[in-house]
Amino acid sequence: MALWHKYSSIAYLAVFVGVLGHASTEFFAVLSGISGPELSVWRFLLGGAGLVVLALLIPGTRDLVAPLKTHGMRLLLLSLLGVTIGYLVFHWSLDFASVPQVATLVTTVPIFVAISNLVINKAPITRGKIAAGLCAVAGIALLITDGYVAALAGSGESLLGILLATACAAAVAAYSVLVRPIITLYGALRITAITMMLGGIGLWLVVGLFFGVWAAPERLTGLEMPALASLLVIAFWNTTITQFLWIGGLAAVPDITRGSYLFFLKPVIAALLAVLVLGQDLSATQILAIIVITGSVFGELFLDRKSGTQSS
């Protein structure tokens, strides 16, 4: 953690690798043969367990009890907010809204990080961040819908799904901002392990009680090897490793809003993976959208620097 604070570029790199993990989740999810809330349960139960094991293997992070003694109730609430509620409403939103609607709204997490940081820490949102955020969201909508505005507009029946997807983005963003002070005290690995594990248990209970889907070991033994391997990749690469890097990196970067803006690159990375792995082609509209999104993310840095230079 101290190393990340000393070398901010390492922290931003950690966030970017975390985004890579988010962007590749869907590819392995398709191969696993498990979908919906059950996938989230397995992802965070196994991924959270992996984080706990990783913390116990490293001498400096083995004490998982100390954070619970000093911040136990707060960590429990943050686990419920960022994992249990956040990922439950994400999958629930897909029952009401279209995939393009949900994908676009969830990718607005950086905007909600900026708002949460403003409300909680009184950190101002600069003009560069506002302009870059609006441009990035417009580019994401263009990329995901391939120019078909009707795919985003939807109908009155999709309003609940839109609200749930927005709640997901807000919950994950608020968690990222609120957990940062505790990570400063105890380090990213321990706090990520605790919150992911507690949140996974919360998901298991909620999905079992309210959706009637109980994740049991027999479910894993019934999977064929390729499907099981894909699920384990989701758990240990897309959760254990990349969630640690994403949450820890955001806690360490000098500007959490700027760091979170790298999340806007998620659909861009997913589109490029589709080209490289699946051999799909990009349309002219999608290429334009990728240029707009990447330009917005990296342009924010120069806009704010220029604004700061002029004001001084």
Side-chain angles (χ1 to χ4, degrees):
M1 187 72 180
L3 178 65
W4 286 5
H5 275 300
K6 186 175 180 180
Y7 302 103
S8 61
S9 58
I10 297 178
Y12 283 112
L13 178 61
V15 175
F16 179 71
V17 176
V19 175
L20 286 175
H22 281 288
S24 60
T25 302
E26 288 81 0
F27 289 86
F28 296 109
V30 173
L31 297 174
S32 71
I34 300 176
S35 60
E38 186 186 3
L39 179 61
S40 284
V41 172
W42 284 119
R43 177 183 177 185
F44 287 99
L45 279 180
L46 296 176
L51 281 162
V52 170
V53 171
L54 185 61
L56 293 176
L57 289 175
I58 301 175
T61 60
R62 287 174 181 167
D63 187 2
L64 298 176
V65 177
L68 292 172
K69 285 182 177 179
T70 59
H71 297 80
M73 182 55 65
R74 189 172 182 183
L75 285 172
L76 176 60
L77 293 175
L78 286 175
S79 302
L80 295 175
L81 175 66
V83 179
T84 303
I85 295 176
Y87 284 88
L88 177 65
V89 296
F90 167 72
H91 286 289
W92 201 2
S93 68
L94 291 169
D95 291 337
F96 303 96
S98 67
V99 172
Q101 286 173 322
V102 173
T104 301
L105 288 168
V106 169
T107 319
T108 61
V109 165
I111 292 178
F112 284 99
V113 168
I115 295 172
S116 298
N117 204 26
L118 172 65
V119 173
I120 297 168
N121 299 321
K122 311 302 179 186
I125 305 175
T126 63
R127 286 178 293 180
K129 288 184 173 64
I130 295 173
L134 293 175
C135 288
V137 171
I140 289 165
L142 195 64
L143 176 63
I144 293 175
T145 64
D146 198 12
Y148 293 101
V149 179
L152 272 186
S155 62
E157 296 178 355
S158 64
L159 179 60
L160 178 57
I162 290 172
L163 292 175
L164 288 171
T166 304
C168 169
V172 172
Y175 163 86
S176 300
V177 174
L178 290 169
V179 80
R180 190 173 184 179
I182 310 179
I183 288 178
T184 301
L185 291 174
Y186 292 104
L189 181 54
R190 277 194 284 181
I191 302 306
T192 306
I194 291 171
T195 54
M196 293 298 109
M197 192 71 248
L198 290 177
I201 294 172
L203 266 174
W204 178 73
L205 287 171
V206 171
V207 171
L209 291 172
F210 293 97
F211 291 85
V213 179
W214 291 98
E218 300 81 50
R219 172 65 161 149
L220 298 182
T221 57
L223 293 175
E224 295 182 359
M225 185 52 66
L228 180 60
S230 298
L231 181 60
L232 293 178
V233 169
I234 293 173
F236 299 119
W237 159 247
N238 299 104
T239 307
T240 297
I241 296 175
T242 56
Q243 284 283 357
F244 162 58
L245 293 175
W246 164 257
I247 295 170
L250 280 184
V253 294
D255 186 337
I256 188 173
T257 301
R258 177 172 295 164
S260 70
Y261 269 35
L262 290 172
F263 194 75
F264 283 134
L265 296 176
K266 177 182 181 291
V268 174
I269 296 169
L272 295 177
L273 285 174
V275 173
L276 297 174
V277 178
L278 303 179
Q280 297 180 358
D281 296 324
L282 291 176
S283 67
T285 302
Q286 291 172 324
I287 294 173
L288 174 62
I290 288 174
I291 294 173
V292 171
I293 297 168
T294 53
S296 300
V297 172
F298 296 107
E300 179 274 330
L301 176 63
F302 297 104
L303 283 172
D304 281 343
R305 278 183 176 177
K306 184 178 179 181
S307 176
T309 303
Q310 289 177 348
S311 63
S312 60

